Amino acid sequence: MKALILDAERRTAHIQSVPKPRPAPAELLIRVIAVALNPIDSLYVFHPLGSTGRVIGSDFAGVVELSGDAVPATSTLQRGDRVAGFLQGACSINERPGAFSEYLVCPWDLVWKVGEGGSLQEAAAVSLCGLTAAQAFFFRMGLQPPFQWPDRQTTTTAEPAKPGPEPQSSVSCFIYGASTSVGMYAAQLVRRSAESSGKPIRLFGAASRKHFPMLKAEPYGYTDVVDYRDEDWPAKILRLTGGAGVDYAYDCISEGLTVSNTGKTVAPGGKMAIVRSREGGAWRAEHLAVAPSYGAVWEGLGADVQYQGMVLPGFPKARGFAVAFYKWLSEGGRLEPNPLREMPGGLESVVDDGLRLLGSGTMGDRDIGSGKDWMRPLSAEKMVYRIGSEGEK
């Protein structure tokens, strides 16, 4: 089969022919139809942690080809079912293959079934960023989720759970980077929380002004949005909350001063989550009133991971949360995919086009694009590539 293979020495990746994987007893063999790109995919090609020979890539959607002998009948998964999920790719030193290949294997309970009405290209864009947002608000900060999971007692590998704020009138949330992939899923999950709990939620965000109309409409439904370019945007959020600050704040960028500024919006006793660790060196902040909560999305895979200069031990409770989140999606949990940019060329074009647009690590490092329409600068979009057809055998 064809796969996109890391060349760590040259900081790139190439198409190679490699053996088709065989599923372990509790795994599925999946024929990949579509893949979606995330900033981490380009980050760890241009700044490799993995060794040469690793299959890169995270998000995928495809069709079940074969089930391992230990996949339980209660899973209801069968050959031909349409599923989506994510793998770790070359984002650590662990020797685990990624998703950018014609076939892959994945644990049976770490995929979700795609409904008949949804496209696999749309589904490919959901799993990694959707779970990232769900982990932040529900698993780490304690906002009430629209689903249940076992062992709901721990928010991170190191901290015992603490109840989130429980205002009597309403809950207020703030999302910095509201038009990012993670931010767009976070807003929807906040809305699902409100529907599930029956508690009114006021949702505030920071984004580019051009995205205000989109963010105030369905499915996001922001109460108000401020321009992230305004130097006094934290003060504007405080004014919108009557000076009280927000109960939950989520920084979906976590670069430079964004963590410090997001921290200024949090009410006493409130909670805050970030997408990059302090150890990674992407942000700086002193004298934060609230300690930001961080955890890598890879924790949801339940295996040891070396990531951002640290070793994250396997975390069964995080894996249990991921399984419950995927079950919720499989059963019709409402989470609309990000706006898509369907990229041409399949696997062969991922490096030259997709990874080039994403850049090598920060928002400011992204390629400004070229004369080709699909190479225009990214903004509130998710790149997806079709690499197979559902009708193929």
Side-chain angles (χ1 to χ4, degrees):
M1 70 171 188
K2 290 192 299 184
L4 198 48
I5 304 297
L6 177 67
D7 182 341
E9 290 73 23
R10 293 176 176 81
R11 301 192 177 198
T12 187
H14 306 285
I15 296 290
Q16 294 184 22
S17 179
V18 298
K20 183 190 297 187
R22 303 185 68 172
E27 291 182 332
L28 304 171
L29 175 66
I30 297 167
R31 180 165 53 83
V32 181
I33 306 301
V35 299
L37 269 61
N38 295 282
I40 50 173
D41 298 324
S42 60
L43 173 63
Y44 292 117
V45 169
F46 297 132
H47 302 284
L49 288 177
S51 56
T52 294
R54 293 276 298 280
V55 179
I56 70 167
S58 307
D59 271 321
F60 69 87
V63 177
V64 175
E65 285 281 305
L66 182 66
S67 297
D69 295 338
V71 175
T74 54
S75 73
T76 72
L77 290 166
Q78 301 177 4
R79 187 175 189 272
D81 283 346
R82 306 160 78 240
V83 297
F86 74 90
L87 299 177
Q88 194 190 355
C91 301
S92 74
I93 65 170
N94 308 85
E95 292 299 326
R96 288 190 285 270
F100 291 1
S101 57
E102 293 180 313
Y103 291 86
L104 59 80
V105 292
C106 185
W108 70 268
D109 55 350
L110 289 178
V111 297
W112 55 279
K113 294 179 74 170
V114 180
E116 290 302 320
S119 79
L120 289 179
Q121 285 164 290
E122 290 177 330
V126 172
S127 303
L128 187 145
C129 288
L131 180 61
T132 299
Q135 285 176 336
F137 271 103
F138 305 144
F139 190 69
R140 306 191 197 290
M141 291 195 287
L143 184 67
Q144 182 172 325
F147 55 87
Q148 295 297 318
W149 73 93
D151 300 317
R152 190 181 168 189
Q153 287 88 32
T154 302
T155 55
T156 72
T157 54
E159 299 177 0
K162 298 177 182 178
E166 294 291 342
Q168 295 301 310
S169 56
S170 64
V171 175
S172 57
C173 300
F174 169 70
I175 299 172
Y176 183 86
S179 64
T180 64
S181 291
V182 172
M184 287 188 280
Y185 289 125
Q188 294 183 66
L189 290 168
V190 166
R191 291 299 174 197
R192 300 295 85 78
S193 172
E195 294 164 0
S196 175
S197 68
K199 184 173 293 186
I201 286 184
R202 294 179 299 152
L203 178 59
F204 304 100
S208 172
R209 187 172 296 276
K210 67 181 179 180
H211 296 309
F212 284 11
M214 175 189 75
L215 294 170
K216 291 182 178 181
E218 291 295 330
Y220 313 110
Y222 275 82
T223 306
D224 215 329
V225 190
V226 298
D227 192 330
Y228 79 98
R229 294 184 180 88
D230 293 342
E231 292 186 2
D232 64 340
W233 69 258
K236 291 182 177 179
I237 294 296
L238 288 176
R239 287 197 294 271
L240 288 169
T241 62
V246 298
D247 302 309
Y248 300 91
Y250 189 25
D251 180 356
C252 296
I253 302 296
S254 303
E255 293 178 6
L257 295 176
T258 66
V259 175
S260 176
N261 286 332
T262 300
K264 296 174 184 177
T265 70
V266 182
K271 294 194 172 185
M272 175 179 170
I274 56 180
V275 296
R276 295 188 178 202
S277 68
R278 184 187 290 271
E279 290 81 358
W283 56 271
R284 61 187 187 277
E286 302 295 335
H287 311 299
L288 287 169
V290 57
S293 174
Y294 167 77
V297 69
W298 315 122
E299 291 177 340
L301 301 179
D304 290 355
V305 175
Q306 182 164 339
Y307 175 69
Q308 293 286 64
M310 66 185 79
V311 176
L312 301 176
F315 192 10
K317 291 178 181 179
R319 191 185 192 284
F321 177 85
V323 170
F325 176 66
Y326 282 164
K327 184 174 185 290
W328 177 72
L329 288 176
S330 296
E331 294 174 350
R334 289 193 296 121
L335 199 61
E336 291 192 19
N338 295 155
L340 300 185
R341 181 182 298 186
E342 298 185 14
M343 301 287 285
L347 280 179
E348 289 80 0
S349 298
V350 167
V351 173
D352 289 342
D353 290 353
L355 298 190
R356 175 185 163 195
L357 275 177
L358 285 174
S360 60
T362 66
M363 296 294 288
D365 189 40
R366 292 188 169 186
D367 195 292
I368 60 172
S370 70
K372 301 173 183 176
D373 180 62
W374 65 87
M375 291 295 289
R376 65 189 183 278
L378 286 169
S379 183
E381 294 173 291
K382 188 77 154 179
M383 287 187 287
V384 295
Y385 284 85
R386 175 173 285 276
I387 66 171
S389 170
E390 291 187 58
E392 293 176 0
K393 298 294 182 183

